[in-house]
Amino acid sequence: MSPLETAEPFGARLRHAMDTRGPLCVGIDPHASLLTAWGLNDDIAGLERFTRTVVEAIADRVAVLKPQSAFFERFGSRGIAVLEKAVAEARSAGALVLMDAKRGDIGSTMGAYAETFLRKDSPLFSDAVTVSPYLGFGSLRPALDQAVISGCGVFVLALTSNPEGAEVQRSTSAGGVSLAQLMLNHMADENADAEPLGSVGAVVGATLGEAGVDLDINGPLLAPGIGAQGATPADLPGVFGSAVGNVVPSVSRGVLRHGPDVAALRESAARFADEVRTAVAGA
Ligand SMILES: O=c1ccn([C@@H]2O[C@H](COP(=O)(O)O)[C@@H](O)[C@H]2O)c(=O)[nH]1
């Protein structure tokens, strides 16, 4: 591709994946406790085996796989090598890879994060990355710009699934709206005119009961918190209302606890996918 050609936008690729595979995202979170439960050691060999099993079991059937970078960084450079391999293999199997790295920093450093996760020649190149906007939405500009160049997505924290998030995210900005709403408004601006779906997504916890914000951002809504954190697919219509069709529900431990048996991992993911389909169809 010449530098002047633009890649197919992430939003379009994601919409296609959601329509053909269903919207479920499965997280790869190799907790030490899961490695133990799978009969693996909490070491690099255990991490490698766990990750390979999840990718082989799930990557050919879900829209999105979301590795949680923290669990790989824990093992230093050898953990990152496992992550690099998993990203490449998951993408080859047809899953979109959303790197859950939650990076946020001043713009010049954000540029380096953008190169790490969103530049095509990077070893950790992924389809999308999670970022934190709480250094100011404008600090994300290098990632937003690099995402356009590479056809990637950026998922911005808005209302996180943890109860502690509310004291920051629900607090009121100088303009009188919540910080979360302010960030969502920026996302809507980034996605204006995008079809069929913008490439800037919001992270909004499935655990919230009711979002209480305007989620009409013309972009995907990543909804973590299903499974181990207590939310279920049946909660999605209540949280997301009329935006539920743009939701990418995310489950990590709720699926992973069924391993290491590949069939059981697949069955669990299929069950969550069915429950999501039923919940969204009835909304
Ligand atoms: O608001 C947020 C944002 C991200 N996460 C991440 O999603 C998974 C959830 O794992 P479960 O095992 O399904 O609870 C994890 O990687 C979090 O860091 C989130 O939970 N909430």
Side-chain angles (χ1 to χ4, degrees), residues 203-221:
V203 179
V204 176
T207 48
L208 298 174
E210 194 187 345
V213 288
D214 178 5
L215 294 169
D216 190 12
I217 64 164
N218 189 32
L221 301 165

Side-chain angles (χ1 to χ4, degrees), residues 29 31 66 68 71 100 102 157 159-162 203 205 224-229 250-254:
D29 294 46
H31 291 257
K66 182 178 77 65
Q68 173 48 262
F71 291 108
D100 198 347
K102 295 195 190 65
L157 300 183
L159 286 169
T160 55
S161 64
N162 58 320
V203 179
I226 295 174
Q229 293 178 55
S250 185
V251 189
S252 302
R253 285 167 290 178

Side-chain angles (χ1 to χ4, degrees), residues 17-264:
M18 291 166 78
D19 291 346
T20 52
R21 292 184 167 203
L24 191 70
C25 164
V26 172
I28 311 179
D29 294 46
H31 291 257
S33 56
L34 279 172
L35 295 179
T36 305
W38 282 33
L40 300 169
N41 292 330
D42 183 22
D43 60 14
I44 197 70
L47 179 77
E48 205 281 329
R49 181 73 180 273
F50 180 97
T51 306
R52 185 161 27 93
T53 303
V54 179
V55 170
E56 282 175 9
I58 306 284
D60 64 349
R61 57 200 66 215
V62 296
V64 183
L65 270 183
K66 182 178 77 65
Q68 173 48 262
S69 178
F71 291 108
F72 297 86
E73 291 173 37
R74 190 161 87 82
F75 292 96
S77 60
R78 291 185 304 161
I80 301 295
V82 172
L83 182 58
E84 286 173 6
K85 191 158 174 268
V87 171
E89 287 176 0
R91 297 189 76 237
S92 306
L96 295 172
V97 172
L98 166 56
M99 182 65 71
D100 198 347
K102 295 195 190 65
R103 299 303 146 101
D105 211 314
I106 61 169
S108 50
T109 304
M110 183 52 71
Y113 286 135
E115 288 185 12
T116 302
F117 298 112
L118 303 177
R119 217 171 79 174
K120 286 201 162 161
D121 55 358
S122 165
L124 280 172
F125 175 70
S126 302
D127 296 283
V129 65
T130 57
V131 295
S132 171
Y134 291 106
L135 274 80
F137 193 86
S139 68
L140 303 179
R141 180 53 52 198
L144 298 168
D145 289 348
Q146 184 61 49
V148 172
I149 292 167
S150 303
C152 290
V154 176
F155 281 83
V156 182
L157 300 183
L159 286 169
T160 55
S161 64
N162 58 320
E164 304 87 356
E167 72 171 11
V168 175
Q169 298 149 13
R170 300 270 187 202
S171 66
T172 306
S173 72
V177 296
S178 68
L179 286 187
Q181 186 63 66
L182 188 65
M183 297 310 156
L184 288 160
N185 293 347
H186 282 300
M187 296 175 219
D189 290 344
E190 295 296 319
N191 289 330
D193 305 325
E195 280 184 52
L197 194 64
S199 297
V200 178
V203 179
V204 176
T207 48
L208 298 174
E210 194 187 345
V213 288
D214 178 5
L215 294 169
D216 190 12
I217 64 164
N218 189 32
L221 301 165
L222 181 76
I226 295 174
Q229 293 178 55
T232 69
D235 295 323
L236 295 172
V239 178
F240 292 94
S242 60
V244 77
N246 289 342
V247 171
V248 179
S250 185
V251 189
S252 302
R253 285 167 290 178
V255 168
L256 301 172
R257 70 187 180 85
H258 294 280
D261 184 69
V262 165

